[in-house]
Structures are given as structure tokens and as C-alpha cells.
Amino acid sequence: MSFKHIDLYVVKDKSFLPKRIDYNFEIHLLPNNEEKMDAAPGEGHDGFYKPNFMVSKNMDRSYKANFMDIIKFVEGNYRVKADKANRVIAGLSMGGFHSFHISRYDENTFDYVGVFSAALMPREDAIGKVYDDMDGTLKQQMDNAYKLYWIGIGKTDFLYDANKEYRAKLNSMGMKYVYMETNGGHIWRNWRIYLSEFVPLLFK
């Protein structure tokens, strides 16, 4: 049986949001080619708290440098199609940061990349090979070709200017992307919109 399965597990904590907000979003291509999409809530929440926005090792180079170990584990233990054409990496906010850097560092690994309201540049104290030669690795990613590079940002998002500068860089390189700009800022409403626009474009 041949099928495609994506599982996007999102946990996003911002100031005074519920302590735990989980959503599992699954897409299945069934044997008869009928698509089934499920979005189910996780375990719920148990109160409110103000989390630390920049948690420990948020920009640590080890996560991005070792991400291929995660892919190897998944592809070695689950029935998935183990090639670039069937891999997606996407994330929101700091997850967009990781998706941006992982996709250009392992520049011939993903055919589909989504960066939603993404942080882009590392802090000054973030060091490591993964942050070296960003322009060169982006060019290599472009030269290797991909099917979709999708960017979404809100007009009042505090990361708007950084994303605008990033798009200017991509334009100067001739690197193609799909762009969506929405009202509002760094909020769940926008991320739901981005996900609903991004997912139907996969595996076409």
C-alpha cells in the first residue's frame, strides 16, 4: 500500500496563552486516492502562565546540525517515502526559524518549505557552522531546485521588517517563493490561515 502521511505537531506558547495548546494535523492520501484530513486537539490546557519567549538553546546550532538524525530515525522506523519529493519542513515563529535554517543547511533534502511569521536571523551569540555562508547555502538550495517555498507574515507582526528584508534578498537572488501577507500580528489566527493555504499545495 502506498500513501503519504504528514503529521504536523504544533505547540506554540506565547504570553498568557493556555499552558498547553496542542494540535495534531494529519493528512492521509488513501489507497483509492481520496484525501482525508484530520485536525484534532491534544490534551487540553490546565491554567495560564507567562512562558519565557527565548527558552534555553532556542538557537543552539546542535538542533539544526543534527536534524538529519531525526529524519533517518523516522525513515528507518516508519513506512514513509524517503526522498526529497516527499519531505516537508514548515514551522511558525521560532519553528519558522528552524525550518529556514535547516532547509538551507541540508539544502537538497526538502521539496516543500514553509516559514510562517518566522524569526530569521540568529542572535549575535549564536555561533556554529550552520549559520555560516547563508547566501551561499540559499543559492545552493535554489540551484538544487524545490517545488514550493512558502512565506507568510502579518502586517503588524514584530518580525514583518525582517521578513521584508529576507524577501528582498530572495528577489535579488532570483529565488522563487509564494508569499502571503495578512492583517494582524504574531497570532494564531494568521497561522491557521497559513496552514490552510500551505497544506493543499503539497505533493502536487
Side-chain angles (χ1 to χ4, degrees):
M1 179 186 300
S2 176
F3 65 94
K4 294 174 181 175
H5 175 197
I6 309 167
D7 185 19
L8 297 178
Y9 184 72
V10 179
V11 177
K12 178 63 186 174
D13 290 324
K14 287 289 289 179
S15 297
F16 301 109
L17 285 178
K19 186 173 182 180
R20 182 173 183 137
I21 304 178
D22 305 346
Y23 283 93
N24 289 317
F25 190 90
E26 296 185 345
I27 304 166
H28 306 271
L29 185 61
L30 303 177
N32 60 0
N33 290 326
E34 294 179 359
E35 290 185 347
K36 176 185 177 183
M37 297 190 183
D38 299 314
E43 298 177 11
H45 61 84
D46 55 359
F48 294 83
Y49 81 124
K50 185 175 182 179
N52 181 2
F53 178 66
M54 294 300 295
V55 298
S56 176
K57 299 185 178 181
N58 236 355
M59 294 185 175
D60 189 287
R61 65 187 182 275
S62 61
Y63 179 74
K64 287 163 284 299
N66 297 313
F67 192 77
M68 286 303 297
D69 292 340
I70 299 174
I71 294 177
K72 290 175 183 177
F73 176 83
V74 171
E75 294 180 348
N77 290 277
Y78 297 92
R79 187 171 53 181
V80 297
K81 292 184 176 180
D83 57 21
K84 178 182 177 181
N86 289 282
R87 294 196 194 104
V88 183
I89 187 166
L92 60 92
S93 191
M94 188 54 66
F97 173 89
H98 291 305
S99 297
F100 161 54
H101 288 287
I102 290 169
S103 67
R104 65 164 187 79
Y105 185 71
D106 296 308
E107 75 285 341
N108 201 28
T109 303
F110 303 96
D111 251 349
Y112 302 89
V113 179
V115 288
F116 313 150
S117 306
L120 294 166
M121 295 299 107
R123 295 193 310 261
E124 293 181 0
D125 61 346
I127 59 174
K129 183 180 178 182
V130 71
Y131 296 127
D132 294 343
D133 192 21
M134 291 191 190
D135 289 354
T137 52
L138 276 172
K139 184 179 185 306
Q140 189 62 57
Q141 183 180 14
M142 178 178 66
D143 292 344
N144 288 336
Y146 50 84
K147 293 183 179 178
L148 177 65
Y149 199 103
W150 202 99
I151 301 171
I153 190 74
K155 293 179 182 178
T156 57
D157 195 308
F158 71 97
L159 294 169
Y160 181 87
D161 288 342
N163 276 257
K164 183 178 180 179
E165 292 174 6
Y166 179 55
R167 287 188 293 108
K169 176 190 289 291
L170 297 183
N171 291 339
S172 69
M173 296 173 56
M175 187 167 172
K176 295 181 179 180
Y177 59 90
V178 174
Y179 177 64
M180 171 171 277
E181 187 172 297
T182 52
N183 292 322
H186 211 71
I187 55 176
W188 276 105
R189 182 185 66 196
N190 278 339
W191 300 326
R192 285 192 291 267
I193 293 170
Y194 303 157
L195 189 61
S196 69
E197 293 287 333
F198 177 71
V199 168
L201 301 177
L202 303 177
F203 310 123
K204 301 297 184 182

mmCIF file of all heavy atoms in Angstrom, residues 110-139:
data_model
loop_
_atom_site.group_PDB
_atom_site.id
_atom_site.type_symbol
_atom_site.label_atom_id
_atom_site.label_comp_id
_atom_site.label_asym_id
_atom_site.label_seq_id
_atom_site.Cartn_x
_atom_site.Cartn_y
_atom_site.Cartn_z
ATOM 1 N N PHE A 110 14.561 18.850 1.202
ATOM 2 C CA PHE A 110 13.117 19.114 1.245
ATOM 3 C C PHE A 110 12.647 19.774 -0.053
ATOM 4 O O PHE A 110 13.231 20.760 -0.499
ATOM 5 C CB PHE A 110 12.774 20.036 2.415
ATOM 6 C CG PHE A 110 13.220 19.516 3.748
ATOM 7 C CD1 PHE A 110 14.430 19.923 4.293
ATOM 8 C CD2 PHE A 110 12.442 18.613 4.449
ATOM 9 C CE1 PHE A 110 14.853 19.449 5.525
ATOM 10 C CE2 PHE A 110 12.850 18.126 5.688
ATOM 11 C CZ PHE A 110 14.061 18.540 6.223
ATOM 12 N N ASP A 111 11.571 19.249 -0.618
ATOM 13 C CA ASP A 111 10.965 19.883 -1.787
ATOM 14 C C ASP A 111 9.947 20.944 -1.385
ATOM 15 O O ASP A 111 9.541 21.756 -2.208
ATOM 16 C CB ASP A 111 10.279 18.839 -2.673
ATOM 17 C CG ASP A 111 11.043 18.605 -3.972
ATOM 18 O OD1 ASP A 111 11.969 19.390 -4.276
ATOM 19 O OD2 ASP A 111 10.728 17.630 -4.687
ATOM 20 N N TYR A 112 9.515 20.916 -0.121
ATOM 21 C CA TYR A 112 8.487 21.841 0.344
ATOM 22 C C TYR A 112 8.945 22.497 1.643
ATOM 23 O O TYR A 112 9.268 21.804 2.618
ATOM 24 C CB TYR A 112 7.161 21.113 0.569
ATOM 25 C CG TYR A 112 6.647 20.409 -0.664
ATOM 26 C CD1 TYR A 112 7.020 19.087 -0.928
ATOM 27 C CD2 TYR A 112 5.809 21.055 -1.568
ATOM 28 C CE1 TYR A 112 6.562 18.424 -2.062
ATOM 29 C CE2 TYR A 112 5.345 20.403 -2.701
ATOM 30 C CZ TYR A 112 5.730 19.092 -2.946
ATOM 31 O OH TYR A 112 5.269 18.450 -4.062
ATOM 32 N N VAL A 113 8.966 23.825 1.648
ATOM 33 C CA VAL A 113 9.408 24.587 2.815
ATOM 34 C C VAL A 113 8.356 25.651 3.124
ATOM 35 O O VAL A 113 7.905 26.373 2.229
ATOM 36 C CB VAL A 113 10.767 25.271 2.552
ATOM 37 C CG1 VAL A 113 11.207 26.072 3.772
ATOM 38 C CG2 VAL A 113 11.826 24.235 2.169
ATOM 39 N N GLY A 114 7.956 25.734 4.397
ATOM 40 C CA GLY A 114 7.011 26.761 4.818
ATOM 41 C C GLY A 114 7.547 27.519 6.013
ATOM 42 O O GLY A 114 7.917 26.904 7.018
ATOM 43 N N VAL A 115 7.606 28.833 5.912
ATOM 44 C CA VAL A 115 8.048 29.666 7.038
ATOM 45 C C VAL A 115 6.936 30.660 7.346
ATOM 46 O O VAL A 115 6.604 31.526 6.542
ATOM 47 C CB VAL A 115 9.391 30.373 6.741
ATOM 48 C CG1 VAL A 115 10.524 29.375 6.759
ATOM 49 C CG2 VAL A 115 9.379 31.084 5.392
ATOM 50 N N PHE A 116 6.332 30.505 8.508
ATOM 51 C CA PHE A 116 5.170 31.298 8.909
ATOM 52 C C PHE A 116 5.560 32.238 10.044
ATOM 53 O O PHE A 116 5.973 31.792 11.112
ATOM 54 C CB PHE A 116 4.030 30.396 9.394
ATOM 55 C CG PHE A 116 3.722 29.215 8.505
ATOM 56 C CD1 PHE A 116 3.227 28.044 9.051
ATOM 57 C CD2 PHE A 116 3.917 29.273 7.131
ATOM 58 C CE1 PHE A 116 2.930 26.943 8.258
ATOM 59 C CE2 PHE A 116 3.623 28.187 6.313
ATOM 60 C CZ PHE A 116 3.133 27.017 6.871
ATOM 61 N N SER A 117 5.447 33.542 9.804
ATOM 62 C CA SER A 117 5.789 34.548 10.833
ATOM 63 C C SER A 117 7.149 34.224 11.444
ATOM 64 O O SER A 117 7.315 34.213 12.665
ATOM 65 C CB SER A 117 4.725 34.576 11.933
ATOM 66 O OG SER A 117 3.440 34.755 11.402
ATOM 67 N N ALA A 118 8.090 33.973 10.597
ATOM 68 C CA ALA A 118 9.344 33.363 11.044
ATOM 69 C C ALA A 118 10.357 34.367 11.573
ATOM 70 O O ALA A 118 10.574 35.430 10.980
ATOM 71 C CB ALA A 118 9.971 32.571 9.900
ATOM 72 N N ALA A 119 10.989 34.005 12.694
ATOM 73 C CA ALA A 119 12.248 34.635 13.053
ATOM 74 C C ALA A 119 13.256 34.142 12.018
ATOM 75 O O ALA A 119 13.167 33.004 11.549
ATOM 76 C CB ALA A 119 12.666 34.213 14.460
ATOM 77 N N LEU A 120 14.219 34.977 11.656
ATOM 78 C CA LEU A 120 15.124 34.586 10.564
ATOM 79 C C LEU A 120 16.596 34.625 10.954
ATOM 80 O O LEU A 120 17.296 33.640 10.803
ATOM 81 C CB LEU A 120 14.876 35.485 9.340
ATOM 82 C CG LEU A 120 13.493 35.314 8.694
ATOM 83 C CD1 LEU A 120 13.205 36.448 7.725
ATOM 84 C CD2 LEU A 120 13.402 33.972 7.986
ATOM 85 N N MET A 121 17.056 35.742 11.470
ATOM 86 C CA MET A 121 18.464 35.863 11.787
ATOM 87 C C MET A 121 18.751 35.429 13.219
ATOM 88 O O MET A 121 17.980 35.723 14.133
ATOM 89 C CB MET A 121 18.932 37.310 11.591
ATOM 90 C CG MET A 121 18.857 37.778 10.153
ATOM 91 S SD MET A 121 19.913 36.804 9.026
ATOM 92 C CE MET A 121 18.671 35.842 8.133
ATOM 93 N N PRO A 122 19.826 34.697 13.428
ATOM 94 C CA PRO A 122 20.178 34.260 14.795
ATOM 95 C C PRO A 122 20.680 35.417 15.643
ATOM 96 O O PRO A 122 21.088 36.458 15.121
ATOM 97 C CB PRO A 122 21.296 33.242 14.542
ATOM 98 C CG PRO A 122 21.911 33.684 13.251
ATOM 99 C CD PRO A 122 20.784 34.225 12.419
ATOM 100 N N ARG A 123 20.627 35.235 16.961
ATOM 101 C CA ARG A 123 21.193 36.233 17.863
ATOM 102 C C ARG A 123 22.705 36.312 17.659
ATOM 103 O O ARG A 123 23.331 35.413 17.089
ATOM 104 C CB ARG A 123 20.910 35.850 19.318
ATOM 105 C CG ARG A 123 19.456 35.848 19.702
ATOM 106 C CD ARG A 123 19.337 35.767 21.231
ATOM 107 N NE ARG A 123 20.152 34.692 21.786
ATOM 108 C CZ ARG A 123 19.672 33.491 22.120
ATOM 109 N NH1 ARG A 123 18.395 33.228 21.965
ATOM 110 N NH2 ARG A 123 20.470 32.565 22.621
ATOM 111 N N GLU A 124 23.299 37.397 18.140
ATOM 112 C CA GLU A 124 24.734 37.596 17.970
ATOM 113 C C GLU A 124 25.547 36.508 18.651
ATOM 114 O O GLU A 124 26.663 36.190 18.224
ATOM 115 C CB GLU A 124 25.143 38.967 18.508
ATOM 116 C CG GLU A 124 24.577 40.132 17.698
ATOM 117 C CD GLU A 124 25.018 41.471 18.244
ATOM 118 O OE1 GLU A 124 25.756 41.481 19.252
ATOM 119 O OE2 GLU A 124 24.625 42.511 17.675
ATOM 120 N N ASP A 125 24.989 35.918 19.720
ATOM 121 C CA ASP A 125 25.742 34.900 20.444
ATOM 122 C C ASP A 125 25.526 33.498 19.884
ATOM 123 O O ASP A 125 26.056 32.519 20.406
ATOM 124 C CB ASP A 125 25.385 34.915 21.934
ATOM 125 C CG ASP A 125 23.908 34.628 22.183
ATOM 126 O OD1 ASP A 125 23.119 34.680 21.212
ATOM 127 O OD2 ASP A 125 23.552 34.346 23.340
ATOM 128 N N ALA A 126 24.736 33.384 18.809
ATOM 129 C CA ALA A 126 24.507 32.080 18.187
ATOM 130 C C ALA A 126 25.606 31.821 17.171
ATOM 131 O O ALA A 126 25.742 32.535 16.175
ATOM 132 C CB ALA A 126 23.142 32.051 17.504
ATOM 133 N N ILE A 127 26.420 30.810 17.438
ATOM 134 C CA ILE A 127 27.550 30.519 16.566
ATOM 135 C C ILE A 127 27.477 29.076 16.081
ATOM 136 O O ILE A 127 26.757 28.259 16.637
ATOM 137 C CB ILE A 127 28.893 30.751 17.291
ATOM 138 C CG1 ILE A 127 28.976 29.856 18.541
ATOM 139 C CG2 ILE A 127 29.074 32.222 17.640
ATOM 140 C CD1 ILE A 127 30.327 29.920 19.229
ATOM 141 N N GLY A 128 28.212 28.787 15.038
ATOM 142 C CA GLY A 128 28.271 27.420 14.535
ATOM 143 C C GLY A 128 28.233 27.390 13.017
ATOM 144 O O GLY A 128 27.808 28.343 12.356
ATOM 145 N N LYS A 129 28.679 26.272 12.464
ATOM 146 C CA LYS A 129 28.762 26.115 11.015
ATOM 147 C C LYS A 129 27.417 26.309 10.338
ATOM 148 O O LYS A 129 27.337 26.793 9.206
ATOM 149 C CB LYS A 129 29.311 24.721 10.703
ATOM 150 C CG LYS A 129 29.520 24.452 9.219
ATOM 151 C CD LYS A 129 30.069 23.063 8.979
ATOM 152 C CE LYS A 129 30.219 22.791 7.486
ATOM 153 N NZ LYS A 129 30.724 21.408 7.236
ATOM 154 N N VAL A 130 26.343 25.928 11.014
ATOM 155 C CA VAL A 130 25.012 26.012 10.415
ATOM 156 C C VAL A 130 24.647 27.458 10.049
ATOM 157 O O VAL A 130 23.835 27.687 9.152
ATOM 158 C CB VAL A 130 23.954 25.413 11.359
ATOM 159 C CG1 VAL A 130 23.735 26.298 12.569
ATOM 160 C CG2 VAL A 130 22.637 25.168 10.630
ATOM 161 N N TYR A 131 25.266 28.438 10.719
ATOM 162 C CA TYR A 131 24.958 29.834 10.439
ATOM 163 C C TYR A 131 25.955 30.483 9.483
ATOM 164 O O TYR A 131 25.862 31.675 9.192
ATOM 165 C CB TYR A 131 24.921 30.631 11.739
ATOM 166 C CG TYR A 131 23.814 30.192 12.672
ATOM 167 C CD1 TYR A 131 24.086 29.859 14.000
ATOM 168 C CD2 TYR A 131 22.490 30.109 12.245
ATOM 169 C CE1 TYR A 131 23.069 29.460 14.857
ATOM 170 C CE2 TYR A 131 21.472 29.701 13.084
ATOM 171 C CZ TYR A 131 21.771 29.379 14.391
ATOM 172 O OH TYR A 131 20.761 28.981 15.230
ATOM 173 N N ASP A 132 26.915 29.699 8.989
ATOM 174 C CA ASP A 132 27.915 30.233 8.076
ATOM 175 C C ASP A 132 27.370 30.296 6.646
ATOM 176 O O ASP A 132 26.573 29.461 6.230
ATOM 177 C CB ASP A 132 29.176 29.359 8.085
ATOM 178 C CG ASP A 132 29.900 29.398 9.421
ATOM 179 O OD1 ASP A 132 29.621 30.328 10.210
ATOM 180 O OD2 ASP A 132 30.714 28.490 9.684
ATOM 181 N N ASP A 133 27.800 31.277 5.903
ATOM 182 C CA ASP A 133 27.545 31.378 4.465
ATOM 183 C C ASP A 133 26.060 31.205 4.122
ATOM 184 O O ASP A 133 25.686 30.340 3.327
ATOM 185 C CB ASP A 133 28.386 30.337 3.713
ATOM 186 C CG ASP A 133 28.384 30.584 2.208
ATOM 187 O OD1 ASP A 133 28.091 31.728 1.792
ATOM 188 O OD2 ASP A 133 28.647 29.627 1.456
ATOM 189 N N MET A 134 25.224 32.028 4.717
ATOM 190 C CA MET A 134 23.784 31.907 4.463
ATOM 191 C C MET A 134 23.448 32.129 2.996
ATOM 192 O O MET A 134 22.624 31.406 2.420
ATOM 193 C CB MET A 134 23.010 32.887 5.338
ATOM 194 C CG MET A 134 23.055 32.535 6.816
ATOM 195 S SD MET A 134 21.876 33.519 7.753
ATOM 196 C CE MET A 134 22.387 33.110 9.421
ATOM 197 N N ASP A 135 24.085 33.128 2.387
ATOM 198 C CA ASP A 135 23.806 33.406 0.976
ATOM 199 C C ASP A 135 24.215 32.224 0.097
ATOM 200 O O ASP A 135 23.494 31.850 -0.837
ATOM 201 C CB ASP A 135 24.537 34.666 0.524
ATOM 202 C CG ASP A 135 23.948 35.931 1.131
ATOM 203 O OD1 ASP A 135 22.908 35.836 1.801
ATOM 204 O OD2 ASP A 135 24.536 37.014 0.937
ATOM 205 N N GLY A 136 25.362 31.641 0.405
ATOM 206 C CA GLY A 136 25.841 30.511 -0.390
ATOM 207 C C GLY A 136 24.951 29.290 -0.269
ATOM 208 O O GLY A 136 24.667 28.607 -1.266
ATOM 209 N N THR A 137 24.488 29.003 0.937
ATOM 210 C CA THR A 137 23.623 27.832 1.114
ATOM 211 C C THR A 137 22.234 28.067 0.519
ATOM 212 O O THR A 137 21.622 27.133 -0.019
ATOM 213 C CB THR A 137 23.489 27.475 2.610
ATOM 214 O OG1 THR A 137 23.096 28.642 3.353
ATOM 215 C CG2 THR A 137 24.813 26.954 3.159
ATOM 216 N N LEU A 138 21.740 29.299 0.575
ATOM 217 C CA LEU A 138 20.469 29.613 -0.082
ATOM 218 C C LEU A 138 20.591 29.438 -1.592
ATOM 219 O O LEU A 138 19.689 28.897 -2.242
ATOM 220 C CB LEU A 138 20.034 31.041 0.244
ATOM 221 C CG LEU A 138 19.291 31.264 1.552
ATOM 222 C CD1 LEU A 138 19.101 32.757 1.802
ATOM 223 C CD2 LEU A 138 17.948 30.547 1.568
ATOM 224 N N LYS A 139 21.697 29.912 -2.156
ATOM 225 C CA LYS A 139 21.905 29.755 -3.607
ATOM 226 C C LYS A 139 21.974 28.283 -3.985
ATOM 227 O O LYS A 139 21.415 27.860 -5.007
ATOM 228 C CB LYS A 139 23.172 30.472 -4.060
ATOM 229 C CG LYS A 139 23.378 30.422 -5.578
ATOM 230 C CD LYS A 139 24.618 31.157 -6.014
ATOM 231 C CE LYS A 139 24.705 31.183 -7.531
ATOM 232 N NZ LYS A 139 24.631 29.853 -8.157
#
